[in-house]
Amino acid sequence: MIHMKDIDLENKRVFIRLDLNVPIKNKKIISSERIDRSIPTIKLALKKNAKIILASHLGRPKEGQYEKKFSLFPVFEYLKKKLSGIKITFSKNYLKGIKIKSNEIVVLENVRFNYGEIKNNIDLSKKYSNLCDIFVMDAFATAHRIESSTYGICDFVKKACIGPLLYSEIKILKSIFNKPLHPIVTIVGGAKVSTKFKLLNTLLKITDTMLVGGGIANTFISIHYSIGKSLYEKSFQEKAKELCETNKILLPVDSRVGKSYSIKSESKTKSISNILPNEEILDIGDKTIENYKKVIKKAKTIIWNGPMGVFEFPNFRKGTEKIAKSIANSSSFSIAGGGDTIAVIELFNLKNKISYISTGGGSFLKFIENKTLPILDKLKNFKTTT
């Protein structure tokens, strides 16, 4: 693949697909991590005297409909402050063309407001390509999606290349998974086994011990015990049994349960063999925390994706907090990925204690599964034509 740094951008219209999908509450950005990680790419384009067009999605608005709460305007305002002295404008209606000079920046409104974005509509992809001379893909977090602004545009642009952030993510992930240090401990949380079954299968081939939490753990526990009204997937019990046959999965021995899925619900720690029909598992228990911490302490490489429970509720946060801090204090190489995982890291102020934090969630998992992403193969097509 051609790297952005190796391409002539002088006076060229450069369409840069970034991931500026950040949490916004009351028009205020809660976490600027993804924007900040994109700043070096923007500065590289400025250094090369390009006409810069920045594109991203934000949230999941209804296709083709404008919704103010999903507007990228707060992101635009944040960039204006970070890039003071640079002319930077915001464009809502851009599909028919953009007027822009070198060393200027136009931030496009949320691409998901455009009809056909998620379905990789051909006409929309063409409209994006008409805006630019060069396409730069630098949004790792959406690199697993086949959408118009991340993938379809490549079918119609004359030149396309990989951006520094996407390149860095891929390079680091490849180096980690090519020659990882053992023991490898994988920590996986989240709601469903079904959405992560392929990932779990792949990880179990390289991992020495897997620690599970959340709804995923509940499905494994339900094979042997009654788990009340806890979230689990009955249809995936047989596949969960197959995974357990590797003898690499360490399951919780106790859990924090509540009688309702609520921030007000009281927490009670119980053995997994003693959960009542009106109770639901919302976190791992103290004995499980200690068991998991012992395994983490011996690890040389840690792969972490997902919380251990409903960390948004203070009464069910302890498991996630203790395991997160155990990972942070470990001397091993730790890699974390996924939106909830990043939220946990920020909640407990552990950013500087994790070896590598991936900006991606789904793409992080897909890359681990397949060792590639759809857009990477697409970008390779430009190697000889650029």
Side-chain angles (χ1 to χ4, degrees), residues 312-325:
E312 298 91 342
F313 299 166
N315 288 346
F316 301 97
R317 183 175 290 169
K318 187 177 180 181
T320 298
E321 180 179 5
K322 292 292 183 182
I323 296 307
K325 288 181 176 178

Side-chain angles (χ1 to χ4, degrees), residues 173-190:
L173 286 174
K174 277 192 172 184
S175 67
I176 291 165
F177 293 107
N178 280 347
K179 291 183 180 179
L181 292 174
H182 289 263
I184 299 173
V185 174
T186 302
I187 299 150
V188 184

Side-chain angles (χ1 to χ4, degrees), residues 97-147:
I98 294 169
K99 289 183 179 180
I100 184 172
K101 295 178 181 178
S102 296
N103 262 349
E104 290 183 356
I105 299 170
V106 175
V107 179
L108 306 185
E109 180 58 284
N110 191 342
V111 292
R112 286 192 178 167
F113 289 162
N114 299 324
Y115 179 79
E117 166 64 20
I118 292 173
K119 293 179 181 177
N120 191 31
N121 179 273
I122 290 174
D123 290 337
L124 181 59
S125 299
K126 284 180 181 177
K127 287 176 181 177
Y128 288 145
S129 71
N130 290 335
L131 297 177
C132 66
D133 304 303
I134 298 166
F135 171 62
V136 179
M137 179 57 180
D138 206 33
F140 176 72
T142 57
H144 63 304
R145 299 187 185 279
I146 297 176
E147 298 179 353

